[in-house]
Amino acid sequence: MDIEIDVPKFFICPISLQIMRDPVTAITGITYDRESIEHWLSTSENTACPVTKQPLQKDSDLTPNHTLRRLIQAWCTENASHGVDRIPTPKPRLDKASVLKLMKNLSRHELQIKTLSQLESLAAENERNRRCMVDAGLPRAMLLLIVACFKKGQVSGIQEALSILCFIKIPRSESRVFFSENYKIIESLTWVLGCKVENFATVKSHAASVLKMLVQEAGSGVLERLKPEFFVTIAGVLREGITHQGINAALQVLLDACSWGRNRKMMVESGVVFELIELELGSPERRTTELNLGVLSQLCCCAEGRDQFLSHGGSIAVVAKRILRVSPAVDDRATQILSLICKFSGTSRVIQEMVDFKAVTKLCLMLQADCAPFLKDKAREILKSLSDEWKNSPCSFSFLSSLE
């Protein structure tokens, strides 16, 4: 029979509600588990002591509570027979000097992979280590390493460098400065996305995530200089399939680049529209659909994009199917796509497809659904523009009066 063990209350972290592994005391006098309070301080907008609500600085001093840690360790050892795991003594804390020392080893070829693996493990451990790495300039070092690998055509070390960047993130200010000094990072990441590597799904997903971080902070000077092969590679990534996170990152990159007409034209020429529709036919998760239809709505702003959209037999069907089934954002983007198609490419064949694939029915249903007023207006506008063509649709009789 299992024995219920009462854990002393002062062994429990007020944040995680778990036994503390590395208890530290804040200047407010409250003791927390180090990882929990450091995460709290690094992610909260208005930092304050969770218990006393007194203000705490993000870099507030946290004093190790060695006495409490020893008491916890002793208690865990005494109750090991009841299934309680022993709490190990915490490792020495990583500091900036230690990171800088490891970074020096990156220049030694025989130590590079070992050092990258060490840095990756440290980055995965906790938020404090990641902040320490950022302070030491590790994001820049990893980006430079990726560029160097690209120039040499060397894939060794790429996986670890990308993983580290996904853990520690790239500060906004550093992204802008790096772009001004080294535009090759876009070419380098494009090269990684097109490489044949082991664990390709993970590597390319991380590459797409890093690319998203950089592009979101890039100025117009960077986004205006994107090349056709960049979009050809992104289309290839969407086609071959990577992780959900990687796909979403790639879609966000496309969405950010859509603001420029030349980019939209290159996307269409690269076959992006076809790949987006194929991706959507696979019934992806909600966020993927929102991003996907966001890009499609931008590409349908140009004649070439609409032509490519309509050349796919499943385009209207899949967009119509998403209406009222995913989210208000998807409803907005789907109706925008249908509006552009009807306004600029609304041939009899296209309109018949809208009737056949229930796009007209879905637009009619939007008039009765609990949608935002602007979405109802958009649906009504599309239906009015098609009134002569869709009058034989089964839904038309019921809703004709509502369009007046």
Side-chain angles (χ1 to χ4, degrees), residues 187-308:
E187 289 184 55
S188 303
L189 290 170
T190 304
W191 169 73
V192 173
L193 288 171
C195 272
K196 295 185 183 298
V197 292
E198 292 183 12
N199 302 319
F200 80 92
T202 300
V203 173
K204 294 188 180 187
S205 293
H206 285 165
S209 296
V210 171
L211 189 59
K212 183 189 85 167
M213 284 188 269
L214 291 169
V215 166
Q216 286 184 321
E217 298 305 325
S220 58
V222 173
L223 295 175
E224 289 173 348
R225 293 163 59 191
L226 295 175
K227 298 178 181 179
E229 51 265 32
F230 175 83
F231 297 109
V232 170
T233 304
I234 296 289
V237 167
L238 296 176
R239 180 169 54 253
E240 67 184 2
I242 49 178
T243 66
H244 285 310
Q245 184 179 6
I247 289 290
N248 288 352
L251 291 172
Q252 185 64 60
V253 168
L254 291 177
L255 194 57
D256 290 337
C258 273
S259 299
W260 285 264
R262 67 182 295 273
N263 289 345
R264 292 196 293 271
K265 182 179 179 181
M266 286 189 287
M267 287 183 208
V268 173
E269 292 172 348
S270 302
V272 167
V273 175
F274 182 87
E275 300 303 339
L276 293 176
I277 297 168
E278 287 291 305
L279 176 64
E280 197 57 39
L281 286 169
S283 301
E285 62 180 5
R286 178 185 62 83
R287 182 55 182 159
T288 304
T289 292
E290 290 175 348
L291 291 167
N292 202 349
L293 267 61
V295 179
L296 280 172
S297 68
Q298 291 286 328
L299 298 183
C300 283
C301 289
C302 63
E304 298 86 354
R306 292 190 295 275
D307 288 345
Q308 196 173 107

Side-chain angles (χ1 to χ4, degrees), residues 157-210:
I158 287 284
Q159 179 174 343
E160 292 82 1
L162 289 170
S163 177
I164 290 167
L165 286 171
C166 287
F167 274 123
I168 65 178
K169 310 303 180 187
I170 306 171
R172 292 182 174 184
S173 57
E174 201 156 326
S175 295
R176 298 190 191 103
V177 172
F178 194 85
F179 267 129
S180 66
E181 297 175 351
N182 201 321
Y183 182 75
K184 286 286 184 183
I185 188 59
I186 294 290
E187 289 184 55
S188 303
L189 290 170
T190 304
W191 169 73
V192 173
L193 288 171
C195 272
K196 295 185 183 298
V197 292
E198 292 183 12
N199 302 319
F200 80 92
T202 300
V203 173
K204 294 188 180 187
S205 293
H206 285 165
S209 296
V210 171

Side-chain angles (χ1 to χ4, degrees), residues 134-165:
V134 170
D135 291 342
L138 188 61
R140 176 182 171 80
M142 293 298 96
L143 291 171
L144 287 172
L145 188 146
I146 292 168
V147 172
C149 288
F150 161 62
K151 290 178 177 178
K152 296 175 185 176
Q154 165 194 318
V155 297
S156 177
I158 287 284
Q159 179 174 343
E160 292 82 1
L162 289 170
S163 177
I164 290 167
L165 286 171

Side-chain angles (χ1 to χ4, degrees), residues 12-24 31-44 48 50 62 125-128 131:
I12 302 297
C13 173
I15 298 175
S16 68
L17 302 180
Q18 301 294 319
I19 296 176
M20 290 183 279
R21 305 177 69 84
D22 185 8
V24 292
T31 298
Y32 302 93
D33 191 48
R34 181 184 294 280
E35 185 174 354
S36 296
I37 187 61
E38 287 184 346
H39 181 74
W40 174 278
L41 293 173
S42 67
T43 57
S44 299
L62 300 171
E125 279 185 9
N126 55 59
E127 184 64 30
R128 184 186 178 281
R131 289 202 312 272

Side-chain angles (χ1 to χ4, degrees), residues 58-121:
K58 285 189 177 289
D59 57 351
S60 181
D61 287 334
L62 300 171
T63 305
N65 193 328
H66 297 300
T67 300
L68 179 57
R69 175 173 56 78
R70 292 190 189 101
L71 287 172
I72 293 173
Q73 288 176 322
W75 181 86
C76 289
T77 300
E78 289 173 6
N79 290 277
S81 60
H82 301 308
V84 177
D85 295 329
R86 186 180 181 279
I87 303 295
T89 300
K91 298 177 183 178
R93 298 172 68 193
L94 187 70
D95 57 21
K96 184 176 178 180
S98 301
V99 177
L100 290 171
K101 184 178 179 180
L102 285 169
M103 287 168 61
K104 284 184 179 179
N105 291 339
L106 292 173
S107 59
R108 299 176 59 182
H109 180 73
E110 69 276 13
L111 296 177
Q112 190 176 82
I113 298 300
K114 180 182 177 182
T115 302
L116 285 169
S117 296
Q118 285 179 284
L119 289 167
E120 184 181 11
S121 296

